[in-house]
C-alpha cells in the first residue's frame, strides 16, 4: 500500500518533478552532514531522557549517551562531509550544553506531565479517491499528557540560534504538526480539541533559553487547507503528474545536472 509523509508532500509542493527524482527515482543529492548527525543524536537523547524519567531510571546519564550517539552518526557520514576535529568538538560541546535544559524547560512550560509515547508511528488510511489506497505515514517525536486531560505533541527541532517569525508561521513548516494532530486524533480516537501541538527548538549556539517551546495552532480552516494540499499531492502522485515547478529551479539541488537539464 503506497504512503505519503509530510516530507514527501513538502517535496511535491516544492516541485513535483523534484519529488519524482527523489521519491520515485531514488536519486539522492544530500545524504547527511554534521548538522543532521547532531540533530539525530540530540533527538535520540531527548527521547531517552524522557523515557528514563517516566521509568524512574535515575542512573541514566544523558551526556555520555549523547556523545556516543553523535560519534556513531558522524561515523556514518561520507568521507567528503566528515567534520574536522574542531567542528566535531564544537558540536559535541553544544549538545552537552543543551542537555541539562531539556527537562527543566518542559517542566516550566507544561508543569506536571506524563509521557504517553515517543516515536509513535502514524499510518492512517486516506479516504481520498485514488486508484491506489494511500496512507499517511509519520512518526510523532513525543506525546505527553497533562493533568487537565490534554495531549501534547512535541516535535524536536535542532537549529543554530532559533527561528524567526516567518519560519514559525510558514504553513509548509507548521503543516507537519497539523497533520500529526489530525491523524493522531483518528488513530487514538482523541477529540481534536484535546490535542495541542508544539515545536521544541534545541538551539546549538543560543546564549540562553537553549530549549524553547512554542505552540502551533491548527484550527478548522488551517486543517482543511492542509488536507486539501495532501489530497492534491496524492491525486497527482497517484497519476504520476510530475510537471516542473519552474519557480523553484533556482533553489533546486538538481538544477543544471543530468537529472534535470
Amino acid at each position: 500500500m503506497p504512503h505519503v509523509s509530510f516530507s514527501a508532500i513538502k517535496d511535491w509542493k516544492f516541485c513535483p518533478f523534484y519529488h519524482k527524482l527523489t521519491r520515485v527515482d531514488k536519486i539522492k543529492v544530500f545524504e547527511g552532514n554534521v548538522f543532521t548527525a547532531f540533530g539525530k543524536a540530540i533527538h535520540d537523547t531527548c527521547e531517552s531522557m524522557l523515557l528514563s524519567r517516566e521509568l524512574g531510571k535515575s542512573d541514566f546519564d544523558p551526556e555520555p549517551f549523547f556523545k556516543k550517539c553523535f560519534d556513531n552518526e558522524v561515523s556514518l557520514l561520507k568521507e567528503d562531509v566528515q567534520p574536522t576535529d574542531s567542528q566535531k568538538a564544537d558540536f559535541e560541546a553544544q549538545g552537552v550544553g543543551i542537555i541539562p535544559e531539556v527537562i527543566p524547560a518542559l517542566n516550566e512550560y507544561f508543569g506536571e506531565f506524563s509521557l504517553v509515547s515517543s516515536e509513535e508511528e502514524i499510518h492512517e488510511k486516506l479516504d481520498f479517491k485514488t486508484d491506489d489506497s494511500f496512507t499517511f505515514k509519520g512518526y510523532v517525536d513525543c506525546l505527553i499528557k497533562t493533568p487537565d486531560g490534554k495531549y501534547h505533541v512535541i516535535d524536536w527541532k535542532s537549529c543554530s540560534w532559533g527561528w524567526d517569525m516567518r519560519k514559525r508561521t510558514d504553513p509548509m513548516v507548521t503543516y507537519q504538526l497539523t497533520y500529526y494532530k489530525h491523524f493522531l486524533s483518528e488513530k487514538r480516537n482523541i477529540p481534536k480539541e484535546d490535542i495541542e501541538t508544539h515545536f521544541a527548538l534545541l538551539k546549538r549556539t543560543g546564549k540562553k533559553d537553549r530549549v524553547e517551546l512554542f505552540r502551533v495552532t491548527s484550527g478548522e480552516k488551517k486543517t482543511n487547507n492542509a488536507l486539501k494540499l495532501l489530497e492534491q499531492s496524492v491525486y497527482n502522485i497517484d497519476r504520476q503528474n510530475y510537471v516542473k515547478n519552474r519557480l523553484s529551479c533556482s533553489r533546486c539541488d538538481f538544477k543544471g545536472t543530468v537529472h534535470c537539464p
Side-chain angles (χ1 to χ4, degrees), residues 54-111:
E54 192 67 21
L55 296 173
K57 292 184 177 181
S58 57
D59 60 339
F60 175 72
D61 190 343
E63 183 175 323
F65 181 88
F66 165 74
K67 291 180 178 179
K68 183 177 180 180
C69 287
F70 185 49
D71 282 343
N72 181 63
E73 292 300 324
V74 168
S75 72
L76 298 175
L77 296 176
K78 288 189 172 182
E79 186 175 349
D80 61 342
V81 293
Q82 282 285 330
T84 64
D85 290 344
S86 176
Q87 287 175 321
K88 186 172 181 292
D90 285 345
F91 274 80
E92 186 175 275
Q94 290 162 2
V96 169
I98 290 170
I99 287 168
E101 296 189 26
V102 174
I103 300 299
L106 293 172
N107 288 335
E108 181 178 354
Y109 187 81
F110 292 108

